[in-house]
Amino acid sequence: MTTLPDGAAAGIAADHAAFLAGRRPAERTHVRVDAADPHARGRARGARLRDAIPAAFAVYERFFTLGGLTPDRIRTDAERALDAVGAFRPAARAEIEGIAAGAGLDVWQIAALNARTEILAGSTTIAPGECTTIVRTGGDGPFGVQTWDWHVELAAHWHTLESHGGPRTFVGLTEDGILGKIGINDAGLALHFNILGHERDGIGGIPMHVLAAIVLGEAGSVAEAVDIVRTAPVASSGSFALFDTADAALLDLSPVGVFPVPANGYLLRTNHFLTPEPAAGEKTWLYQPDSGDRRDFVAARLAAAEPPASAADLPVLLRTGPGEPPVTCLPDPTQPTGQRWASLATVTLSPATRTAAILDGTPAEADSRPWRVLRAG
């Protein structure tokens, strides 16, 4: 894994820069759906991405196979996850079924995409990626930023989204075929999302990506979002940084429970648990020492810097260079498939204006590539 220097991309080895740039589409797909019926909303999504979703599934199918998972295991896990979704939120299951209908795939294949984190938790060789999140909670906040760091093979398989017609309109980004990930809704509720890892992670609960979509599609405040999360059957791990115009909460989600993380001016998250109960069962070998190094590095930067005045001031805090922890992440082209991570996107969320600003690139490209700004209401 290589990192970007502070500033322009000129300091990066040309082969690494080209390796990432060559996998981005010339223009990132934007999907807008508007239907009160969740199946119809899903069908519209699937139809809009009819060519893209099968290609995304093919990438994940390869990851699952490289991870030692059999086709029967993949399908069984996907169907179990879908049953858990249907028991908790029938509307979310209906939307998944609609995506399958629109994309021309089997329902279990779309369920597998939505449960990709949970299915990959059973892998023996495919490690998860990494992300770094900052939310300023004091001053004129809250507002936040994060990198979405994931396998470079998925660089072409995500899109920006506007979802209308449900209880809440929300905007943000997600992967092709997946209900939700990072975003903000028309109530000004924002959600940043990081993956965590616990020894008990598995199938049987609500997939983290589906839960993120449910929160964005339903919650009118941080308090309502926390209530949804606490009532959800959770069998895997993740972190939601939740914030609105008046409140903020950082949660450790795990099979052993949901735990709030104390905040002091900022919510700062990488990829390890920050509360003792889930930390006792953490898959530390997946993320450490990298996750701790990144968090300590950004915390030191925040302590030394002037407090950011707006979300636009945050991406620079996520730029890193040679010899620094890889907060800005570029793939190493010498590594095999499944071991090449990149900062595929940089996202800022601003509850005061109900906007998500999405950069198809790394924090170091914040001044050189265009941002797409979406408003939820």
Side-chain angles (χ1 to χ4, degrees):
M1 184 182 301
T2 52
T3 54
L4 288 163
D6 193 23
I12 310 169
D15 57 343
H16 288 236
F19 188 70
L20 177 58
R23 281 157 174 77
R24 296 170 177 152
E27 183 176 353
R28 182 64 58 183
T29 299
H30 179 67
V31 175
R32 186 186 190 279
V33 293
D34 189 351
D37 176 68
H39 189 277
R41 207 159 53 241
R43 182 184 284 272
R45 280 211 217 191
R48 177 69 174 83
L49 298 167
R50 191 174 180 87
D51 294 329
I53 293 175
F57 179 79
V59 175
Y60 274 112
E61 189 172 39
R62 185 179 184 194
F63 284 161
F64 298 152
T65 301
L66 288 172
L69 304 174
T70 66
D72 286 347
R73 166 76 179 276
I74 297 164
R75 181 164 184 163
T76 297
D77 283 354
E79 290 174 343
R80 287 183 61 200
L82 185 63
D83 287 343
V85 172
F88 183 63
R89 286 294 192 277
R93 176 171 185 148
E95 191 161 357
I96 290 170
E97 291 171 342
I99 292 173
L105 293 180
D106 292 336
V107 174
W108 74 265
Q109 293 173 300
I110 303 302
L113 288 174
N114 280 271
R116 55 86 158 163
T117 301
E118 290 71 23
I119 295 173
L120 286 172
S123 165
T124 57
T125 58
I126 299 294
E130 58 179 48
C131 302
T132 305
T133 295
I134 304 169
V135 177
R136 187 185 179 197
T137 61
D140 296 328
F143 46 80
V145 66
Q146 80 165 93
T147 56
W148 173 43
D149 301 340
W150 196 227
H151 300 281
V152 74
E153 290 83 1
L154 275 301
H157 299 299
W158 63 272
H159 60 277
T160 58
L161 172 70
E162 293 178 65
S163 180
H164 302 262
R168 293 283 178 191
T169 291
F170 66 92
V171 300
L173 73 79
T174 190
E175 296 175 64
D176 297 344
I178 296 180
L179 290 187
K181 185 187 293 288
I182 304 159
I184 191 165
N185 69 19
D186 57 3
L189 175 75
L191 186 153
H192 285 299
F193 177 18
N194 294 56
I195 295 176
L196 308 177
H198 193 277
E199 293 172 352
R200 288 173 53 182
D201 285 346
I203 299 294
I206 302 298
M208 285 291 129
H209 285 82
V210 177
L211 184 56
I214 290 169
V215 167
L216 288 170
E218 294 183 11
S221 66
V222 169
E224 289 182 12
V226 172
D227 284 346
I228 291 170
V229 172
R230 288 194 179 281
T231 61
V234 172
S236 56
S237 299
S239 168
F240 290 172
L242 301 162
F243 51 108
D244 55 31
T245 56
D247 197 8
L250 184 62
L251 302 178
D252 279 350
L253 288 75
S254 77
V256 297
V258 176
F259 304 91
V261 178
N264 183 22
Y266 294 95
L267 308 180
L268 177 56
R269 169 66 76 182
T270 49
N271 299 99
H272 60 283
F273 290 107
L274 299 175
T275 55
E277 292 91 340
E282 185 168 54
K283 294 180 178 179
T284 54
W285 61 90
L286 283 179
Y287 293 110
Q288 297 293 17
D290 174 83
S291 182
D293 290 345
R294 283 184 288 121
R295 190 174 191 277
D296 290 346
F297 180 83
V298 176
R301 266 193 175 171
L302 290 170
E306 289 292 323
S310 71
D313 298 325
L314 291 174
V316 67
L317 297 169
L318 300 180
R319 295 178 182 175
T320 51
E324 296 175 331
V327 177
T328 295
C329 176
L330 277 182
D332 183 344
T334 67
Q335 293 299 308
T337 296
Q339 303 297 324
R340 300 178 295 196
W341 293 281
S343 295
L344 299 184
T346 307
V347 185
T348 68
L349 302 176
S350 303
T353 56
R354 294 167 173 74
T355 55
I358 301 163
L359 175 69
D360 189 353
T362 74
E365 297 171 291
D367 300 326
S368 60
R369 290 179 59 81
W371 291 75
R372 177 171 287 167
V373 179
L374 303 174
R375 185 180 176 90

